[in-house]
Amino acid sequence: MSQFIEVIGNSDEGLARVTRLWLKSFMQQFGEVIQMHKPPTSGDPRSDVATVRFAKQEQAEAAVAFLRSGNALLNGTPIAGDWKTQAKGGRPSSGVVDYDAPVSDSRSFLSNGSRRDRSRSR
């Protein structure tokens, strides 16, 4: 599995006129695309980013080399791309879960020994 690639639109419109299926079919010329995420346009072309992941790292490297060249054109929209850096929020994505981390929710506070045998209403 490859690293993620961020794809942006290199025009004033960003990725507004590019669909997820068009982008996926364009990227499949480099190899098997196993994950594609293109959210709806936000209205701000600079913040519109799609992410792509290939089955093999070599395929992703070929795609990044082409996207960096400045020659990538998808249905009349110039696109560019590079390796994805850390998530914008600085926190792990929702797909990364530490199952060994201690749980701290409202139920875990009851297990600290201060639990009553009866309800307070009595």
Side-chain angles (χ1 to χ4, degrees):
M1 194 177 314
S2 74
Q3 292 176 278
F4 280 102
I5 300 170
E6 285 185 336
V7 179
I8 60 169
N10 247 0
S11 69
D12 294 338
E13 296 178 350
L15 293 175
R17 296 186 185 263
V18 175
T19 67
R20 182 184 60 83
L21 293 176
W22 286 351
L23 186 57
K24 183 176 181 180
S25 66
F26 177 80
M27 297 304 263
Q28 284 176 339
Q29 67 181 318
F30 303 106
E32 180 186 0
V33 175
I34 59 171
Q35 190 173 358
M36 167 73 63
H37 180 72
K38 189 210 172 279
T41 184
S42 65
D44 180 14
R46 291 168 292 177
S47 67
D48 290 342
V49 177
T51 55
V52 183
R53 185 178 240 179
F54 287 92
K56 296 181 181 171
Q57 185 66 23
E58 299 81 29
Q59 299 166 344
E61 289 170 0
V64 167
F66 185 71
L67 291 169
R68 284 179 178 168
S69 72
N71 296 325
L73 194 65
L74 177 59
N75 291 344
T77 302
I79 59 174
D82 209 340
W83 301 113
K84 182 176 180 173
T85 56
Q86 187 176 6
K88 291 179 183 172
R91 60 188 172 107
S93 70
S94 60
V96 179
V97 178
D98 183 9
Y99 291 105
D100 296 326
V103 177
S104 58
D105 63 356
S106 61
R107 291 172 286 182
S108 65
F109 295 119
L110 294 175
S111 63
N112 64 4
S114 66
R115 193 170 162 182
R116 298 176 184 245
D117 292 333
R118 297 189 296 170
S119 69
R120 293 182 179 200
S121 62
R122 288 187 184 185

